[in-house]
Amino acid sequence: MSESKLAGQFFDAAIGLLERVRDEEAPRIAEAGSLVADAVAAGNRLFAFGAGHSSLPAQDVVYRAGGLALMNFLAVPGTAGVDVMPATLGSALERVDGLAGAVLDSSPASAGDVLVIISLSGRNALPVEMAMNARAIGLKVIGVTSVAYATGTKSRHVSGTFLKDHCDVVLDSKIAVGDAELTLDGIDAPFAPASTVVTSAIMQAVMATAAGELVARGVEPPLLRSGNVDGGHEWNGRVMQEYGDRIFFRH
């Protein structure tokens, strides 16, 4: 099998997943977009959280050209990517009880805000506890996860529950347990994960929905422009000044 055929198979798999999410998750994406729009219109704040590679789609909607300026990354030190050394520490921290609560308590998040929690498996203590604690203090929680893990794996949280069990809206990425789309004779492990592609698309679909909802309500969406187009920096400066009390990635 040629390498180009494998590439095509991966694209086909990713496109198939995107089509499934588009068709099957549309009502919940609309609901999630409405929650985001509600928070923006009411003067509340937006946060996104993900650990390990699930942090990538969360970071993708923060300080992003064409994105909502009010989306803030809720960082848990040591889990927000592979920059921590050793990288395996991030995986270990996802299983630590109490860490999410401590981070949330020291964050600016408060009742009425929206928190998007991204966790492919939704089984670790960190996302489960984050969702439970967030709802307890009055946040609206949007979970982006693969619901398949709830039947294909066991929870690592003391409650035995998954992220999906503690959300106001659950968006199912449809990713199979193991997050690998391809297999090949001669390669013992499955390969080619698609969760980042699909989850990032879900996040952008929610943000687009929220922007449309705001316009329908007569509210101008606080969007950022690219700094690489003429006038972009000036536009962003005005947006950040107007909404500065709800933007935390500058301080």
Side-chain angles (χ1 to χ4, degrees):
M1 179 181 295
S2 67
E3 292 83 355
S4 61
K5 188 171 183 180
L6 285 172
Q9 287 184 346
F10 175 75
F11 281 119
D12 288 344
I15 291 167
L17 285 162
L18 289 168
E19 288 178 338
R20 280 192 65 197
V21 170
R22 179 196 64 197
D23 297 341
E24 298 173 17
E25 296 301 298
R28 285 165 291 282
I29 288 173
E31 189 177 354
S34 292
L35 284 181
V36 171
D38 289 344
V40 173
N44 295 113
R45 289 81 60 85
L46 307 174
F47 298 89
F49 163 75
H53 287 93
S54 288
S55 73
L56 299 178
Q59 294 180 57
D60 191 48
V61 293
V62 176
Y63 187 47
R64 181 64 192 256
L68 292 173
L70 306 190
M71 183 59 77
N72 301 278
F73 185 61
L74 185 63
V76 176
T79 70
V82 293
D83 56 339
V84 63
M85 292 297 289
T88 50
L89 176 61
S91 298
L93 289 174
E94 289 187 62
R95 306 178 190 182
V96 174
D97 292 326
L99 181 57
V103 168
L104 198 58
D105 288 346
S106 61
S107 79
S110 60
D113 295 345
V114 168
L115 172 60
V116 184
I117 300 177
I118 302 170
S119 174
L120 177 61
S121 73
R123 69 189 297 224
N124 288 310
L126 191 56
V128 173
E129 181 188 329
M130 185 74 78
M132 294 174 71
N133 286 28
R135 293 183 85 188
I137 63 174
L139 274 72
K140 294 292 186 181
V141 175
I142 299 168
V144 187
T145 187
S146 170
V147 173
Y149 276 81
T151 54
T153 67
K154 292 182 179 179
S155 171
R156 288 182 175 138
H157 187 256
V158 64
S159 68
T161 61
F162 288 75
L163 170 61
K164 73 173 186 64
D165 301 315
H166 306 284
C167 300
D168 296 281
V169 181
V170 176
L171 304 178
D172 184 4
S173 63
K174 316 293 183 181
I175 301 296
V177 174
D179 191 19
E181 295 301 319
L182 301 181
T183 57
L184 184 66
D185 289 342
I187 301 179
D188 290 337
F191 56 101
S195 61
T196 305
V197 173
V198 177
T199 306
S200 292
I202 290 173
M203 292 296 290
Q204 294 297 348
V206 171
M207 297 301 107
T209 300
E213 280 267 344
L214 288 166
V215 170
R217 302 179 193 186
V219 178
E220 182 179 355
L223 296 169
L224 295 173
R225 290 181 179 268
S226 171
N228 296 313
V229 300
D230 292 342
H233 283 298
E234 293 77 12
W235 172 281
N236 292 341
R238 289 193 298 271
V239 171
M240 290 188 182
Q241 182 175 13
E242 181 177 353
Y243 294 94
D245 60 335
R246 299 155 72 182
I247 296 172
F248 303 103
F249 51 76
R250 302 183 70 201
H251 310 294

